[in-house]
Amino acid sequence: MTKIQIISVFIIGLAIALIAFSGKDYSSYSTFQKASEAERKVKVAVELALEEEIYYEPMEDPNLFSFFAVDENGDKMKVLYAGAKPQDFERSESIVLTGKVNGEVFEASDMLLKCPSKYTDEEIKIKGEQS
Amino acid sequence: MQEIQYIGEHLLIGQFGHLSVIIGFVFSLLAAYAYFKQVNNKEQSWNKLARISFALHSVMVFVVMALLFYIMIERYYEYNYAFKNVNDDLPFRYIFSAFWADQEGSFLLWMFWHAVLGLIILFQRGKWEAPVLSVLSIVQFFMFSMLMGVYIGFGEFSFKLGSNPFILLRETMNAPIFSNADYLSLIEGNGLNPLLQNYWMTIHPPVTFLGFASLTIPFAFAIAGLWTREHKEFLRYVISWATFSGGILGTGILMGGAWAYEALSFGGYWAWDPVENMSLVPWLMLVAGVHINLIARKTGKSIKSVYAFYVIAFILITYSTFLTRSGILGETSVHAFTTMGLENQMLIMILFFIFGSLWLFRLRKKDFATDKTEDNLSAREFWMFVGALVLAFSALMITLSTSLPVYNKIRAIFQPSFIGSVIDDPVDYYNKYQLWVAVFIGILSGVGQYLRWKESRFEKYLKKFSVSMGISIAGATILTILFGSWMDMHAWQYWVLLFASFYTVSANLDYMIRLSKLNPRAVASSLSHLGFGIMVIGSLASGLNKFHISSNPFAQRGLLSEERLAKNVMLFKNMPMFMSGYKVTYADDYFEGNNRIYDIKFEQLDSMGQPVDSFTLHPTALYNNTITKVAAFNPSTLHTLSKDIFTYIASIPQIEADMEIARQKEDSLEYVALDLMENAPAFFRDTVVVGDSTVIRTYELNLLQVLNEPTHADYVAQENEISFSPRISVFDTYYDSTYIVEPTVTLRGQAVYSYNVHLQDLSLKFKVEEEALKYAFVMEEDLDYKTYEFGKDEVLEINGHTIQFTGFIPNPKSVDYVPEEGDEALWARFLVDNKQEVKPIVCIRGNNFLTYKAIDKGTGLHLKPLRINLSEDGKDAKLLMSIAMEDKAEAMNIPIGVAHAPRTDFVVLESIVFPGINLFWVGSIVMLIGLFIGVWNHRLRKQVS
């Protein structure tokens, strides 16, 4: 084998090894239950609990947004997020939260909203209806 | 069911379009076959058919595009594509954006560039025309199949081939509206997402898809080279195309970053999002391929790798298309994906090209004898190859990581209980590994320049090499220390990266100026490497040292356990706020179209608090097309040489952002009714929450005046209406300050309009109650009429006012009187108190005698003619009048409503400083310029040789 071939094999091996052994950088979608036990940040796929209060009062604190979310097990938990309330938050179909549980609340460091597509097949806009 | 004859549909154009797709599909296959025959049988006679087929297939691409544009421009909503992507209000300049915002349009754009590039090769009439266009035609054949929209097979085993862009709306869904034959007059299109209505969306996709399409050319050359076994010739011809593709695709990727940074509120230019990753990866492979191509041309070695890299780059582009269009990425990306339902078809295409290429490689294996000579560690080609491998490593890492959702899905097929995993923090994760890629590239691209091709006497060259290395390392060290001390370096790894970047900058500058004396050949590569180094320095500077202006340490309430950086501040209109050395004021806001522009004024203060610099930024809230709801917030950025100040609005009050909520909030306000009279103050008591306690604030309200010409900002005067505004002074007894408000009420026909006033400073809202209209509109039955008789010029004294009848005037006009044919109408002119003219109207219409009364607003006198009494000789007429006077004192009682309404004149602002970000842009552009100079060099060289 030439040096280049050795280097090639080494580099490809390194890439695969790095991916394979960086398990701590990955995690599966968790639940609130599991998040309460976990020490580190986890991702939880949730739905917004629309019947509960969605709180964002910028006059009180522009960096505090809180709401309640339900995970796949049906567990409900209060979520705090240090930022502004995203536009169209109420319409989001599902939310992926990144963060950890502290006592009774889930503290999210990041949120990814999945909003329904603007175009739903069942919806046909009738002229003049939108006034 | 009975067939409905629909009205107003333009079905012919769609049928023609679909036919064009099928013709294009057939001709792309025919072109591939004819070119194949020409190459394989070495029969030039096939060339004519091949060229005609390729040209016709190109024409079909253009025709399909033109027809699709046409139905969008004409707003033929019977077509699903027009219905989904345009609406009546969409300006013409965004039709292009709407065209490629959807799947079929972007496929067409890609095919368009394939056709254009193919035609260029066709017209060059070189010997590569036939094999290259044969491969390109196969690619086009697969792409046309994506647009076919036909079902193949029987019953349950039917397979949908492609998605026809000309499908009708009523074929895509089953809605009751389609039972109406005239449904077209009732519907309107959805329109383009407001986020995509900007010039970036007009220019970014064409460049990116030209990048994608140009990447097919090196692939086609590679297959052609393997096929015809013209390996040397292949190396010579492909390199300019590959370099061109690298430049264009790089430009497209960079534009995507610029779009995200300039126009979207992501707060950055690169987020390691799957869509970004999967356009970067083919570029990395392509650039690696170009480097190995150079090696192969110089040394005759590594030809196999050149083929491999160009083929892999193309396969990665198709894989990237599969990932982003199959919906498999799901929740891992911020980009919204809609599936086209063509996952299987795309998979077949990818597998075809993978296995086809592998098969061809196997066939040609013996062409590439393994080179047994030991690699020369002191030669340029060795380290250049290592550099290409580092790029491939980077591409491999990114591809594998981005494909995690694919892995999850495949594993779940075999093991249904398997729960897939995701990357916790993509930005940290990718940066962690790619940092070392950049370090290696930085060092290799510096050292590599100093080494010589096929070095055989390194001992003799060693002295020169050492001098160069000394110069470049010294330069890099000085720059790293200077720059690094200005920056805030969190970890030692960043120092390494900074040094590696400065190393390639100083080494390439040194090589370009001192050693190669600005030889254009050397300039191309040196500029690219230099640009790369500057780009990395810029991303380090702006990434590590970015900070929020908008962090207000006093506003933290500590509800979150971790100390987090407060990113946002709230700004009241015209109330400056001090933050991080800036005085920031929300000065104004106004609409331009459906864009609401905010003026945010920044004044930079020195340590003494004196302003040293000031500028105004204009972040916007982009409303939907009907201006009822905010669709997105777009940033505004101040660009200076050393830093950018990026600002956007994170939030505005719900009332301002959504008309529906505004209406609900207005309905839920609890107005307290107050009666206002002149010289009789009324009091409003408001309960206010201050901290944890509630206090009562008292306001004294005084009616100053009643204005008949309202001043309310939203009020627009119209004819035939009654409007007025009470002018009210509001005295805040706590802060000892006075405000003036002028709410307005208007009666237009039967409808009453209220123009309420929101006194933001006091969180109070004022409205005039409807009943107040009585003030201007005294009920007829409340008036006490008495009858008087007037002769001409006769003066009577009534209720303390003199009234004189001065005679009749022809051609009367008034709000109430509507003239008809045959009317005999006159004004009866009166003078009240010898100065005020009052003119009721009398009219004879057929047998009827009509009268229209007039009111003198000053005195409150109502003058209503009753009849005209002619004297017996007929010469003298006397006018019988009914006259009454309003009871002013009672009418002055104006009922108003006062409610507590929280302030809505604020924005929540996020403002970030990116130091040194210009280095990133300058570096990237320099790198691309280097690539384009390379294209130029290769073309020139080819012409010479």
Side-chain angles (χ1 to χ4, degrees):
Chain A
M1 262 170 107
T2 61
K3 292 193 188 77
I4 275 297
Q5 282 167 331
I6 295 169
I7 292 174
S8 309
V9 170
F10 170 74
I11 279 183
I12 293 169
L14 180 69
I16 293 169
L18 282 177
I19 298 280
F21 293 108
S22 55
K24 64 173 169 32
D25 291 326
Y26 313 130
S27 57
S28 46
Y29 285 126
S30 189
T31 59
F32 285 138
Q33 175 71 38
K34 279 194 260 172
S36 312
E37 293 150 14
E39 287 289 301
R40 60 196 195 88
K41 277 188 189 174
V42 291
K43 284 196 173 186
V44 189
V46 296
E47 275 176 25
L48 176 64
L50 275 168
E51 70 281 3
E52 300 280 352
E53 189 196 14
I54 298 171
Y55 172 89
Y56 182 61
E57 289 294 339
M59 277 196 255
E60 306 268 322
D61 184 347
N63 293 296
L64 180 70
F65 172 45
S66 86
F67 57 94
F68 286 83
V70 181
D71 69 4
E72 57 177 29
N73 291 348
D75 292 336
K76 194 191 282 182
M77 195 173 235
K78 186 173 184 174
V79 180
L80 292 183
Y81 174 68
K85 178 181 151 187
Q87 189 61 30
D88 254 357
F89 183 75
E90 285 86 352
R91 286 185 70 229
S92 58
E93 276 177 343
S94 66
I95 308 163
V96 177
L97 301 171
T98 309
K100 49 180 149 183
V101 172
N102 177 38
E104 292 295 295
V105 295
F106 186 90
E107 295 182 355
S109 58
D110 192 27
M111 294 194 297
L112 186 62
L113 307 186
K114 280 283 146 179
C115 287
S117 161
K118 195 164 87 78
Y119 317 110
T120 45
D121 282 350
E122 291 72 31
E123 235 174 76
I124 298 186
K125 195 165 79 183
I126 306 294
K127 265 183 190 166
E129 200 184 56
Q130 69 271 26
S131 59
Chain B
M1 212 179 92
Q2 196 190 331
E3 193 75 15
I4 302 173
Q5 292 297 313
Y6 291 107
I7 300 167
E9 289 188 335
H10 308 78
L11 297 183
L12 200 65
I13 189 169
Q15 288 157 358
F16 189 51
H18 195 197
L19 186 69
S20 306
V21 171
I22 294 167
I23 296 173
F25 176 75
V26 171
F27 274 111
S28 56
L29 189 60
L30 193 60
Y33 180 73
Y35 273 131
F36 174 81
K37 278 292 190 187
Q38 184 191 341
V39 177
N40 245 25
N41 302 7
K42 301 213 164 51
E43 287 169 18
Q44 205 57 32
S45 55
W46 283 96
N47 184 257
K48 200 168 181 186
L49 174 66
R51 282 190 173 170
I52 291 171
S53 304
F54 192 86
L56 275 175
H57 124 276
S58 307
V59 169
M60 288 306 129
V61 174
F62 305 148
V63 166
V64 171
M65 282 184 96
L67 292 176
L68 203 54
F69 263 121
Y70 187 74
I71 62 170
M72 293 175 91
I73 292 167
E74 292 292 321
R75 270 84 172 171
Y76 289 160
Y77 296 130
E78 58 268 41
Y79 291 101
N80 189 39
Y81 206 81
F83 174 79
K84 263 163 77 186
N85 297 305
V86 292
N87 62 1
D88 290 350
D89 304 328
L90 191 72
F92 182 78
R93 63 181 183 279
Y94 295 134
I95 299 271
F96 289 97
S97 308
F99 182 87
W100 42 69
D102 210 350
Q103 306 262 15
E104 289 85 352
S106 57
F107 258 116
L108 274 168
L109 182 60
W110 194 350
M111 293 165 73
F112 169 81
W113 288 122
H114 276 157
V116 169
L117 296 173
L119 288 175
I120 291 173
I121 293 171
L122 192 152
F123 283 111
Q124 284 177 340
R125 297 168 176 269
K127 64 175 172 187
W128 288 96
E129 177 200 330
V132 166
L133 290 191
S134 182
V135 179
L136 188 62
S137 299
I138 284 287
V139 177
Q140 286 289 74
F141 168 74
F142 273 102
M143 298 205 120
F144 258 123
S145 77
M146 306 279 179
L147 303 175
M148 286 290 275
V150 292
Y151 285 87
I152 295 172
F154 312 94
E156 280 178 50
F157 301 102
S158 74
F159 173 73
K160 187 187 169 207
L161 186 70
S163 158
N164 175 14
F166 296 100
I167 198 161
L168 294 176
L169 177 63
R170 58 186 160 85
E171 289 169 339
T172 61
M173 64 176 101
N174 226 333
I177 194 167
F178 297 121
S179 59
N180 183 343
D182 193 22
Y183 78 95
L184 269 183
S185 64
L186 299 172
I187 62 170
E188 204 205 319
N190 277 315
L192 182 65
N193 187 335
L195 273 178
L196 302 180
Q197 292 183 24
N198 55 51
Y199 62 94
W200 288 105
M201 187 61 193
T202 314
I203 57 171
H204 169 62
V207 175
T208 306
F209 279 101
L210 175 58
F212 280 22
S214 63
L215 217 128
T216 312
I217 306 298
F219 165 75
F221 265 97
I223 298 298
L226 287 170
W227 178 13
T228 59
R229 308 178 110 150
E230 300 263 12
H231 306 305
K232 280 260 153 55
E233 285 292 290
F234 156 73
L235 293 175
R236 196 156 76 91
Y237 278 88
V238 75
I239 194 158
S240 52
W241 281 106
T243 318
F244 168 75
S245 179
I248 291 290
L249 186 58
T251 308
I253 296 169
L254 189 65
M255 273 186 173
W259 178 5
Y261 178 66
E262 272 298 304
L264 303 172
S265 48
F266 293 173
Y269 46 84
W270 194 262
W272 295 109
D273 187 89
V275 173
E276 298 167 345
N277 291 350
M278 290 317 289
S279 59
L280 177 67
V281 161
W283 185 82
L284 290 171
M285 289 307 279
L286 186 78
V287 170
V290 168
H291 282 87
I292 304 176
N293 198 337
L294 285 169
I295 296 170
R297 287 198 69 194
K298 284 282 177 190
T299 66
K301 290 192 206 169
S302 313
I303 299 176
K304 202 164 56 172
S305 305
V306 183
Y307 282 121
F309 273 71
Y310 287 151
V311 169
I312 292 172
F314 170 75
I315 287 180
L316 283 169
I317 272 286
T318 56
Y319 177 62
S320 137
T321 309
F322 168 74
L323 276 189
T324 51
R325 290 177 193 228
S326 63
I328 200 166
L329 293 172
E331 284 153 340
T332 61
S333 171
V334 294
H335 287 77
F337 297 107
T338 47
T339 67
M340 216 167 147
L342 300 178
E343 297 80 30
N344 296 333
Q345 212 173 328
M346 280 194 269
L347 266 185
I348 291 170
M349 177 172 112
I350 296 169
L351 293 176
F352 174 84
F353 287 121
I354 291 177
F355 287 106
S357 310
L358 283 176
W359 172 75
L360 198 57
F361 264 106
R362 257 191 81 84
L363 276 185
R364 296 288 180 261
K365 208 178 162 190
K366 57 184 175 302
D367 285 19
F368 310 107
T370 326
D371 190 0
K372 289 282 189 295
T373 56
E374 191 54 35
D375 291 310
N376 183 352
L377 285 187
S378 51
R380 179 186 273 183
E381 58 267 26
F382 179 81
W383 294 106
M384 211 158 142
F385 201 98
V386 172
L389 285 175
V390 172
L391 288 177
F393 165 80
S394 167
L396 184 66
M397 286 290 290
I398 298 171
T399 309
L400 290 178
S401 307
T402 311
S403 303
L404 196 58
V406 180
Y407 169 78
N408 290 340
K409 199 143 202 169
I410 294 172
R411 215 171 137 183
I413 294 172
F414 299 106
Q415 185 191 344
S417 62
F418 178 73
I419 296 164
S421 50
V422 286
I423 299 168
D424 284 334
D425 190 339
V427 174
D428 276 357
Y429 171 83
Y430 285 105
N431 283 348
K432 186 168 69 184
Y433 297 118
Q434 299 305 324
L435 183 145
W436 294 108
V437 169
V439 168
F440 279 109
I441 296 295
I443 290 173
L444 290 170
S445 61
V447 178
Q449 289 287 37
Y450 290 133
L451 293 168
R452 298 188 297 189
W453 295 107
K454 295 186 268 189
E455 180 68 74
S456 53
R457 283 173 300 177
F458 188 63
E459 317 76 56
K460 287 199 169 169
Y461 180 64
L462 184 64
K463 200 179 156 198
K464 253 179 136 178
F465 177 74
S466 307
V467 171
S468 301
M469 287 297 281
I471 291 175
S472 54
I473 290 176
T477 311
I478 293 168
L479 286 169
T480 305
I481 291 169
L482 284 179
F483 203 76
S485 58
W486 167 70
M487 275 166 62
D488 179 17
M489 309 286 270
H490 307 303
W492 62 271
Q493 289 93 332
Y494 296 126
W495 283 104
V496 177
L497 180 57
L498 190 65
F499 175 78
S501 310
F502 272 122
Y503 176 70
T504 191
V505 169
S506 64
N508 279 287
L509 268 179
D510 176 46
Y511 180 76
M512 187 164 65
I513 296 166
R514 190 173 60 92
L515 296 180
S516 80
K517 310 262 187 297
L518 295 175
N519 173 348
R521 285 183 173 198
V523 164
S525 68
S526 291
L527 271 187
S528 293
H529 297 152
L530 179 77
F532 170 79
I534 296 173
M535 181 186 90
V536 174
I537 294 163
S539 65
L540 262 177
S542 61
L544 291 179
N545 282 16
K546 76 169 182 188
F547 65 95
H548 280 79
I549 291 181
S550 56
S551 73
N552 183 352
F554 306 107
Q556 305 252 32
R557 293 180 76 205
L559 273 172
L560 287 147
S561 62
E562 268 177 64
E563 262 324 300
R564 279 181 221 277
L565 176 70
K567 294 180 287 192
N568 309 319
V569 289
M570 197 195 58
L571 281 179
F572 282 118
K573 200 168 186 171
N574 295 322
M575 274 170 73
M577 195 141 167
F578 293 89
M579 43 184 139
S580 315
Y582 288 87
K583 178 180 162 193
V584 184
T585 315
Y586 159 27
D588 201 3
D589 64 276
Y590 42 88
F591 273 96
E592 265 177 28
N594 59 344
N595 220 1
R596 185 173 186 173
I597 298 165
Y598 289 83
D599 288 350
I600 310 289
K601 192 175 175 209
F602 288 76
E603 283 170 275
Q604 193 171 12
L605 308 175
D606 62 14
S607 54
M608 305 297 289
Q610 294 303 309
V612 287
D613 187 20
S614 97
F615 53 91
T616 301
L617 292 177
H618 308 280
T620 64
L622 180 64
Y623 283 71
N624 62 4
N625 298 330
T626 50
I627 316 193
T628 48
K629 203 168 180 196
V630 170
F633 295 107
N634 287 339
S636 167
T637 304
L638 175 82
H639 302 278
T640 69
L641 207 57
S642 63
K643 63 175 186 275
D644 276 10
I645 295 175
F646 171 93
T647 291
Y648 84 100
I649 292 183
S651 182
I652 59 175
Q654 277 192 312
I655 284 191
E656 300 289 317
D658 188 339
M659 292 304 281
E660 185 53 39
I661 289 177
R663 204 173 299 146
Q664 287 168 12
K665 282 264 162 80
E666 178 65 35
D667 288 348
S668 68
L669 283 183
E670 289 170 9
Y671 279 100
V672 174
L674 291 174
D675 276 337
L676 287 187
M677 272 176 279
E678 260 177 288
N679 305 320
F683 292 90
F684 176 74
R685 283 176 187 84
D686 192 16
T687 311
V688 190
V689 181
V690 178
D692 294 330
S693 57
T694 56
V695 292
I696 305 275
R697 290 276 159 80
T698 306
Y699 304 100
E700 184 187 315
L701 275 55
N702 270 296
L703 177 65
L704 302 177
Q705 194 184 345
V706 179
L707 306 168
N708 287 318
E709 281 161 10
T711 54
H712 196 281
D714 297 338
Y715 168 79
V716 183
Q718 289 184 8
E719 279 194 36
N720 300 359
E721 66 169 24
I722 296 166
S723 294
F724 69 94
S725 303
R727 188 183 171 89
I728 305 163
S729 71
V730 183
F731 177 62
D732 180 352
T733 56
Y734 185 81
Y735 285 108
D736 221 8
S737 49
T738 304
Y739 302 83
I740 302 287
V741 292
E742 292 169 2
T744 297
V745 67
T746 297
L747 180 72
R748 247 170 232 151
Q750 298 294 313
V752 178
Y753 296 85
S754 295
Y755 298 93
N756 302 347
V757 173
H758 195 174
L759 189 52
Q760 301 274 8
D761 290 3
L762 303 182
S763 295
L764 293 181
K765 206 154 184 183
F766 298 85
K767 72 168 177 184
V768 189
E769 297 292 351
E770 242 177 77
E771 295 80 65
L773 277 168
K774 279 184 189 160
Y775 165 76
F777 197 69
V778 179
M779 296 294 155
E780 200 68 8
E781 61 266 26
D782 293 343
L783 291 173
D784 185 16
Y785 279 105
K786 289 196 177 77
T787 309
Y788 304 88
E789 194 181 47
F790 286 87
K792 188 162 187 307
D793 293 329
E794 193 172 342
V795 183
L796 292 181
E797 181 155 332
I798 300 162
N799 290 21
H801 297 283
T802 60
I803 301 180
Q804 181 186 19
F805 173 53
T806 63
F808 292 105
I809 304 174
N811 300 324
K813 288 182 193 72
S814 116
V815 173
D816 306 320
Y817 169 63
V818 185
E820 277 187 26
E821 193 74 36
D823 276 1
E824 277 185 50
L826 294 166
W827 260 321
R829 183 173 178 273
F830 290 86
L831 269 184
V832 175
D833 292 339
N834 238 340
K835 54 178 197 282
Q836 189 60 44
E837 196 178 53
V838 186
K839 296 186 291 186
I841 294 171
V842 293
C843 168
I844 298 162
R845 181 176 294 166
N847 293 326
N848 294 328
F849 181 72
L850 307 172
T851 65
Y852 300 90
K853 80 169 187 181
I855 304 162
D856 178 31
K857 283 217 173 119
T859 56
L861 283 167
H862 291 233
L863 275 66
K864 187 157 79 175
L866 282 178
R867 63 174 182 272
I868 300 170
N869 287 343
L870 289 177
S871 61
E872 282 168 21
D873 55 3
K875 283 181 184 166
D876 209 10
K878 287 210 177 225
L879 184 58
L880 208 63
M881 292 292 295
S882 196
I883 293 177
M885 193 157 129
E886 291 167 14
D887 191 349
K888 272 286 184 188
E890 201 188 356
M892 282 305 286
N893 194 342
I894 295 182
I896 64 160
V898 186
H900 178 85
R903 297 185 73 143
T904 57
D905 60 336
F906 65 85
V907 293
V908 177
L909 198 74
E910 179 165 2
S911 194
I912 312 171
V913 178
F914 290 102
I917 196 166
N918 278 341
L919 289 174
F920 173 83
W921 302 117
V922 169
S924 314
I925 292 166
V926 168
M927 182 166 75
L928 293 171
I929 290 174
L931 276 169
F932 285 117
I933 294 176
V935 179
W936 188 249
N937 288 343
H938 293 308
R939 292 211 81 82
L940 283 182
R941 226 173 293 167
K942 205 167 67 188
Q943 280 164 13
V944 172
S945 59

